[in-house]
Amino acid sequence: MIKTRQWAASHGIDVADSLPAVADYDEPTPRTSQEIAIRTIILHAIAATGYGVDPEPIVEWLIEQSIWQYASPAEQTLMKSTAPTDEELSEARWRQKAQWTLLWAINKVHSLGLPTQTCDTGSLVDDIMPGPGESIEPFVSSARLRLPGEILAENDRTYNLHCHARPAIRESTLPDDLIYPVLFQRHYAFEWLTGDDQWDEVQTDT
């Protein structure tokens, strides 16, 4: 089976780990670095819930840090649910990949590369994100949004990969090493990052 790198290149998609910024593109995203940083914390809480961490102290922490209101209606429902379904928990775990994408956008992650591996959970928990009970202020205030041209380059690559992946799934020609849920979560994150939809309302059309 052809690997993702060759498959992407055959469709004219750049396969470098870090893409060059689109020259002269300077249209800012509608999301601020602070807004993005807070969203990554919410997604961190959602992923923790998906992995079986008791959500009650997490909710208390989000309230204490004055960001509970930034959790979407669906996210609040999940974290307050006494009996989430396996499907809901699985989706919550995959949200960690959207979180990783947004962390890249605020310079907390060095590069994204191709969607052939999951994120570094150990680094995410131990080195990047604030832990429950800690102040989120240092994390939020240190977030620095990447240049518009950098975000556009990765957004374009993710969108183009998704456009080719959907028919490849139907035709059973998707490369074995491409992790489709990672690609989907990246696309979801970029659509939120560059659009004005609320988190629950984001569409990943191709």
Side-chain angles (χ1 to χ4, degrees), residues 31-32 34-43 46 62-63 65-76 79 136 140 192 198-200:
R31 313 288 182 180
T32 66
Q34 180 182 39
E35 185 180 2
I36 299 164
I38 290 172
R39 174 107 298 267
T40 68
I41 296 170
I42 299 298
L43 291 173
I46 289 297
L62 297 178
I63 293 171
Q65 296 298 311
S66 301
I67 61 170
W68 170 246
Q69 69 270 24
Y70 294 103
S72 73
E75 290 168 334
Q76 292 187 11
M79 286 188 277
I136 67 170
V140 173
W192 176 83
Q198 298 299 312
W199 182 259
D200 289 345

Side-chain angles (χ1 to χ4, degrees), residues 163-174:
C163 284
H164 291 292
R166 279 182 162 150
I169 290 173
R170 293 193 295 269
E171 298 161 7
S172 299
T173 57
L174 194 70

Side-chain angles (χ1 to χ4, degrees), residues 5-60:
R5 185 169 294 274
Q6 290 77 28
W7 177 80
S10 72
H11 291 294
I13 299 171
D14 196 324
V15 297
D17 285 342
S18 296
L19 300 181
V22 176
D24 300 324
Y25 183 80
D26 59 2
E27 183 176 343
T29 71
R31 313 288 182 180
T32 66
S33 59
Q34 180 182 39
E35 185 180 2
I36 299 164
I38 290 172
R39 174 107 298 267
T40 68
I41 296 170
I42 299 298
L43 291 173
H44 198 56
I46 289 297
T49 301
Y51 281 110
V53 177
D54 181 3
E56 185 173 348
I58 296 176
V59 171
E60 291 175 357

Side-chain angles (χ1 to χ4, degrees), residues 13 19 22 27 47 78 82 86 92 95-96 109 116 125-127 135 140 151 171-172 175 177 181 199-200:
I13 299 171
L19 300 181
V22 176
E27 183 176 343
L78 174 67
T82 57
D86 289 344
R95 284 301 192 208
Q96 197 173 63
V109 168
T116 56
V125 174
D126 297 334
D127 303 324
S135 170
V140 173
I151 292 174
E171 298 161 7
S172 299
D177 62 335
W199 182 259
D200 289 345

Side-chain angles (χ1 to χ4, degrees), residues 3 41 49 58 93 108 178:
K3 295 296 184 183
I41 296 170
T49 301
I58 296 176
R93 291 192 294 272
K108 300 288 188 179
L178 192 151

Side-chain angles (χ1 to χ4, degrees), residues 121-189:
T121 302
S123 177
L124 193 65
V125 174
D126 297 334
D127 303 324
I128 300 175
M129 301 301 299
E134 296 179 5
S135 170
I136 67 170
E137 195 281 330
F139 174 81
V140 173
S141 64
S142 63
R144 296 291 181 269
L145 195 60
R146 288 182 182 272
L147 295 173
E150 292 181 84
I151 292 174
L152 178 61
E154 280 291 357
N155 186 13
D156 281 351
R157 171 163 70 176
T158 298
Y159 177 79
N160 289 332
L161 281 169
H162 206 180
C163 284
H164 291 292
R166 279 182 162 150
I169 290 173
R170 293 193 295 269
E171 298 161 7
S172 299
T173 57
L174 194 70
D176 287 341
D177 62 335
L178 192 151
I179 306 174
Y180 182 77
V182 173
L183 175 59
F184 176 85
Q185 293 297 334
R186 285 188 188 181
H187 189 181
Y188 199 102

